[in-house]
Amino acid sequence: MVQPAPDGGLETITYGELVDRTDRCAGALDALGLDVGDRVVVESDTSADAVATILACATLGLPFIPVSPGLPDERLRAILAGAEPALYLQGPDGRRTGVDAPIGTGRFGPDGLRTERAPAARGPRRRRVVTAVDTAYIIFTSGTTGRPKGVAMSHRGVVSFLRGVRTFDLLTADDRVAGTAPLQFDFALFDIGFALSHGATLVPVPRARLTWPRRFLGFLRDAEVTHVDAVPSLWRPVLRHEPEMLTELTDVRGVLFSGEAFPPHELRSLQGALPKARFLNLYGPTEVMAISVTELPNPLPPEAERLSIGSAVPGAEMTLIGPDGRVVDEPGVVGEIYLRGPSLFTGYWNDPETTRRALVPDPLDPASGRLVLRTGDLASPGPDGALYFHGRADSQVQIRGNRVELGEVELRVAEFPGVTGAIAAVLPHDDEPRLHVFVTRAAGGPVPDAKNVADFVRAVLPAYMVPSHVHVVEAFPLTANGKVDRAALHAFA
Ligand SMILES: Nc1ncnc2c1ncn2[C@@H]1O[C@H](COS(=O)(=O)NC(=O)C[C@H](N)c2ccccc2)[C@@H](O)[C@H]1O
C-alpha cells in the first residue's frame, strides 16, 4: 500500500508489514475475549492501519462495520443502536466522542491497537470456528426510508465475487490502484480486495485530495497510479476544470467505475483524455458486492446511449424477469434484474421482513428453495446478449400519464452547446408534477438559456419530455458515497 507519510511525502507499506500489523491487531483483539459474531465498528478512511484492522477482524470472525469520519453523530448512533457492536475503533487522529458503554472503545495505529474502554464483559465464548458463511462485514446504507439498513455480507460472498473478478486478469503485481471511495462504501472494500487479490499496490487517495481537481490529478501523477477506481461523478469537476492535466496521466491504463450510470458524453470526454486506458463498468448492489465487470469500447461508439453492464462474472448469473414473472431475453425489452450466485448477502441486519422482500424464491425454480436477489434495477438485452442498464424501477416517472425516460432527456440536453452535465428530475408542483433539468456548464462558458434548451429538446423529443424548468448549477449535489444525490435536487429548484 502507498499512503501519505507523516513527513508529507508518500510511504510504502509492504505486504509483509501489512501481515505483521494485521497479526498484531488480531492478537490485541483476541485478548479482549470477543466471540465469533461480535461486531466491531471501524471508523476511518482507507489506510494501512484500517486495512490491518478489518483484516484482523475478519480473521477472528468479528464482523466489521466500516464508517467514515465524516458520518454525522446521529447517524452513528442509529448504526450503534442497530448493530449493538462490542467494540468501536477509530484511527490515531479520530475525533469521535460519545460512544457509550457497554460498547468498548479504542484506537488503532502503526503501533497496534490501544483499548480505551474494554468492551462489557462477554459471556464464555460459544464458538471456536469461523466459517465461510459467517458475516465478514455489515455495510449500513441509508435505505430509502431513511432508517439505515445493514447489509450483512459473508466471507464467502466477498471471496466468490473477487474470484470472479480475477478471471479477467485486470491487474498484475506491478499495478498501483487508486481508491477514491469512503471506507463505509463497499466500493472501497472492493478496492482493497481487488488490489490484495492480485498482489498489487493499493493507493487510497486522501479525502482532502478529492475536492480539488488539480490536487487530485497531481496525487495520481506523483503516486504513478496505473488504475483509478471512482464513481462517475468524481470525474465531472476534473473534466470541467482540468481536462488538459488529465492527458498527463500517461501511467493510467485502467479506469474502473461503478455506483451510477456514467453519462455517455462525459465518458467520451474522459476517454478522449485517456485514449490508451481500458474502461471497466462494474455493476451491482451492495447486497452482492457487485455482479458484473464489463470492458467498454474506448472510444464509446457515437450512437451509444446506454452503457453495457455485460453479464455476471463467472459463477454468478444476472437474469431479467418481466412483470409476468417470466424471463425477458428479447433484445430491447426491459425487465427487472435478478441476481443468483454465491455472493448474495446473508440478509439485512436484524430485519427479516426487509430481507424477505429482497431475497425471494427463484421465480424460475420456486420449488428449489433457492433464493435470488431482486435488485429493483431495470435493464434490457442488447443484440449481443449483454444487458444495458435502464435505471431504477422506482425512478420511472410519469408526466401527464406518459412514462418519461429521464436518461433520454438528459442525453439530449447534454448535447446543448456549452452544457457539460445534465440531470433530469420530475418534481411535484401544486397542479401536476413538472419535468426539471439541472445543468452544469463549461467553466467560464455561456449560461444556457432555459427557453433555448427547451426548444432544443422539443426539436427531437415528445412534448411531455420537454423540461418546464432549466436550472444552471455550479455542481450537482452528491451523496456521501459520491453519487449524484437526485433526492437533493429539489432543493435547487
Ligand atoms: N455500473 C453501474 N451503472 C449504473 N448503475 C449502477 C452501477 N453500479 C451500481 N449502480 C446503481 O447503484 C445501485 C447499487 O448501489 S449500492 O448498493 O450503493 N452499491 C454500489 O453503488 C457499489 C457496488 N456495490 C459496487 C461495489 C464494489 C465494486 C463495484 C460496485 C445499483 O442497484 C444500481 O442502481
Side-chain angles (χ1 to χ4, degrees):
M1 284 184 71
V2 163
Q3 61 186 18
D7 68 7
L10 290 176
E11 64 176 349
T12 297
I13 290 91
T14 66
Y15 274 98
E17 287 161 347
L18 186 62
V19 167
D20 291 346
R21 292 192 193 188
T22 301
D23 290 348
R24 210 165 42 240
C25 185
L29 280 172
D30 203 26
L32 295 175
L34 303 184
D35 201 350
V36 170
D38 285 344
R39 276 78 61 200
V40 178
V41 173
V42 177
E43 173 163 348
S44 180
D45 289 319
T46 306
S47 67
D49 292 317
V51 171
T53 304
I54 64 178
L55 292 178
C57 289
T59 313
L60 297 171
L62 306 175
F64 62 88
I65 301 170
V67 297
S68 295
L71 195 73
D73 281 345
E74 76 277 359
R75 184 122 171 92
L76 179 64
R77 264 199 297 280
I79 291 174
L80 298 180
E84 296 177 309
L87 187 61
Y88 163 89
L89 300 175
Q90 59 184 322
D93 322 330
R95 292 201 296 274
R96 184 79 62 176
T97 57
V99 176
D100 302 329
I103 300 171
T105 58
R107 288 176 186 269
F108 54 81
D111 50 7
L113 184 70
R114 188 162 47 81
T115 303
E116 289 158 345
R117 180 179 62 233
R122 332 286 300 165
R125 276 180 163 158
R126 301 163 298 161
R127 296 216 145 111
R128 279 268 161 269
V129 176
V130 184
T131 78
V133 294
D134 289 339
T135 303
Y137 59 76
I138 306 171
I139 289 263
F140 278 87
T141 63
S142 45
T144 40
T145 59
R147 189 166 61 87
K149 287 189 306 188
V151 175
M153 179 55 78
S154 67
H155 297 275
R156 177 179 66 180
V158 180
V159 170
S160 51
F161 176 62
L162 291 172
R163 277 214 177 97
V165 171
R166 270 181 59 93
T167 63
F168 295 87
D169 280 335
L170 296 175
L171 293 181
T172 71
D174 300 327
D175 279 311
R176 299 160 70 88
V177 181
T180 61
L183 195 59
Q184 68 190 24
F185 187 24
D186 65 335
F187 200 174
L189 302 182
F190 168 78
D191 291 336
I192 296 166
F194 183 48
L196 269 53
S197 59
H198 291 84
T201 301
L202 178 64
V203 186
V205 179
R207 307 218 60 76
R209 288 285 193 147
L210 292 174
T211 36
W212 305 106
R214 282 191 81 73
R215 290 166 55 86
F216 173 52
L217 296 180
F219 180 85
L220 297 180
R221 181 196 56 220
D222 299 348
E224 298 173 315
V225 304
T226 60
H227 289 72
V228 186
D229 292 9
V231 292
S233 288
L234 189 115
W235 293 107
R236 191 166 295 114
V238 173
L239 291 167
R240 182 162 185 238
H241 296 288
E242 299 296 344
E244 65 292 333
M245 191 174 172
L246 205 44
T247 58
E248 293 166 19
L249 296 182
T250 49
D251 291 333
V252 171
R253 68 186 191 90
V255 172
L256 282 77
F257 60 88
S258 179
E260 56 185 356
F262 210 138
H265 61 286
E266 291 178 332
L267 177 56
R268 285 194 191 90
S269 306
L270 185 58
Q271 291 183 320
L274 300 168
K276 292 199 336 282
R278 297 173 70 178
F279 284 78
L280 294 143
N281 187 9
L282 275 70
Y283 161 77
T286 296
E287 286 84 348
V288 289
M289 185 176 247
I291 192 86
S292 70
V293 179
T294 310
E295 179 162 4
L296 300 178
N298 178 3
L300 202 66
E303 72 285 352
E305 296 194 354
R306 290 181 199 293
L307 302 187
S308 169
I309 53 172
S311 55
V313 298
E317 185 180 65
M318 274 201 282
T319 311
L320 292 187
I321 302 287
D324 56 1
R326 295 155 57 89
V327 172
V328 167
D329 49 16
E330 212 181 312
V333 177
V334 176
E336 181 176 357
I337 302 175
Y338 279 58
L339 305 179
R340 195 165 124 252
S343 72
L344 286 192
F345 75 134
T346 309
Y348 296 111
W349 188 260
N350 199 19
D351 189 347
E353 190 40 49
T354 309
T355 303
R356 257 192 301 278
R357 282 202 294 276
L359 288 176
V360 298
D362 183 348
L364 307 186
D365 193 357
S368 68
R370 181 187 314 112
L371 299 178
V372 297
L373 176 75
R374 56 176 308 187
T375 61
D377 286 330
L378 302 177
S380 65
D384 53 355
L387 298 191
Y388 286 75
F389 187 73
H390 273 253
R392 300 239 357 125
D394 52 26
S395 76
Q396 301 306 308
V397 291
Q398 305 253 328
I399 294 270
R400 297 197 287 282
N402 303 286
R403 198 166 64 75
V404 172
E405 272 277 358
L406 295 174
E408 273 187 79
V409 179
E410 292 166 356
L411 265 177
R412 177 61 180 165
V413 173
E415 287 163 11
F416 188 85
V419 166
T420 53
I423 298 286
V426 171
L427 300 179
H429 275 254
D430 37 15
D431 51 355
E432 57 173 0
R434 300 273 185 80
L435 180 60
H436 291 241
V437 163
F438 299 82
V439 299
T440 53
R441 61 190 166 97
V447 177
D449 169 81
K451 187 177 174 327
N452 296 345
V453 171
D455 292 343
F456 186 70
V457 175
R458 189 174 289 106
V460 295
L461 291 179
Y464 62 84
M465 286 171 83
V466 174
S468 49
H469 298 74
V470 177
H471 311 272
V472 181
V473 295
E474 265 312 294
F476 298 136
L478 301 178
T479 66
N481 291 345
K483 306 183 190 184
V484 171
D485 187 347
R486 289 175 178 267
L489 281 170
H490 67 271
F492 284 64

